[in-house]
């Protein structure tokens, strides 16, 4: 049985938690940053000093591979901004490398459990070569990314997953 207004309550709680996540960096607009986003970097990600969208290589120089903690990488390298492009670079499958892919998971539960049943493949095993696969953060919403290879094994055991909620870019 569904109670009247329960959907509205869930919506309000979801919006409140998104706002809370986006405002978690108390010093965001002051130019001084001692929060978990980094020491002394200022209120913006170093790649986001420009007015326009940026291309951000997922994993930095590590690229997209098994065994790297992408949740930690996203936390340390955030925040990310509306219309930024995430670039997933990975080696195409060969006799010496395992294939990788990129899935967009539909919700937090799927992300936490590496449940790919309702996920959408956004890049297959060959799309990460060369300049990589580009994904634009074009909506204000949580994005949950994971490698879908081996039925979620890379997500679960290889730590190939992360989430971002893009910030809006403010002009000074």
């Amino acid at each position: 049985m569904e109670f009247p207004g329960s959907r509205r309550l869930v919506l309000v709680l979801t919006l409140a938690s998104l706002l809370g996540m986006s405002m978690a960096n108390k010093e965001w607009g002051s130019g001084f940053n001692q929060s978990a986003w980094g020491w002394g970097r200022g209120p913006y990600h170093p790649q986001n000093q420009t007015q326009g969208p940026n291309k951000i290589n997922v994993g930095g120089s590590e690229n997209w591979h098994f065994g790297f903690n992408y949740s930690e990488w996203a936390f340390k390298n955030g925040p990310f901004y509306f219309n930024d492009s995430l670039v997933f670079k990975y080696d195409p499958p060969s006799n010496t490398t395992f294939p990788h892919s990129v899935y967009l998971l539909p919700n937090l539960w799927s992300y936490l459990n590496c449940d790919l049943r309702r996920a959408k493949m956004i890049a297959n095993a060959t799309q990460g070569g060369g300049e990589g696969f580009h994904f634009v953060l074009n909506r204000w919403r949580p994005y949950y990314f994971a490698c879908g290879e081996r039925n979620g094994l890379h997500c679960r055991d290889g730590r190939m997953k992360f989430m971002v909620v893009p910030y809006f870019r403010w002009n000074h």
Side-chain angles (χ1 to χ4, degrees), residues 80-130:
F80 303 101
Y81 292 87
F82 189 72
N83 284 330
D84 279 353
S85 180
L86 299 178
V87 181
F88 292 83
K89 292 184 179 182
Y90 45 93
D91 294 328
S94 71
N95 291 336
T96 59
T97 63
F98 287 108
H100 297 298
S101 57
V102 183
Y103 279 75
L104 189 59
L105 298 149
N107 54 47
L108 181 61
W109 187 91
S110 296
Y111 169 77
L112 293 173
N113 294 289
C114 293
D115 182 355
L116 300 167
R117 288 178 292 186
R118 293 185 19 221
K120 177 183 179 186
M121 180 188 284
I122 57 174
N124 66 31
T126 62
Q127 289 177 284

Side-chain angles (χ1 to χ4, degrees), residues 32-67:
F32 180 72
N33 184 350
Q34 289 188 3
S35 73
W37 294 112
W39 289 90
R41 272 198 328 218
Y44 303 107
H45 187 283
Q47 295 177 347
N48 286 312
Q49 295 295 332
T50 62
Q51 295 297 317
N54 295 288
K55 291 181 182 176
I56 301 161
N57 192 44
V58 173
S61 61
E62 292 287 330
N63 293 328
W64 187 239
H65 68 83
F66 189 89

Side-chain angles (χ1 to χ4, degrees), residues 124-141:
N124 66 31
T126 62
Q127 289 177 284
E131 294 298 313
F133 169 75
H134 295 245
F135 183 89
V136 177
L137 302 171
N138 60 8
R139 293 178 62 200
W140 187 60
R141 59 162 282 213

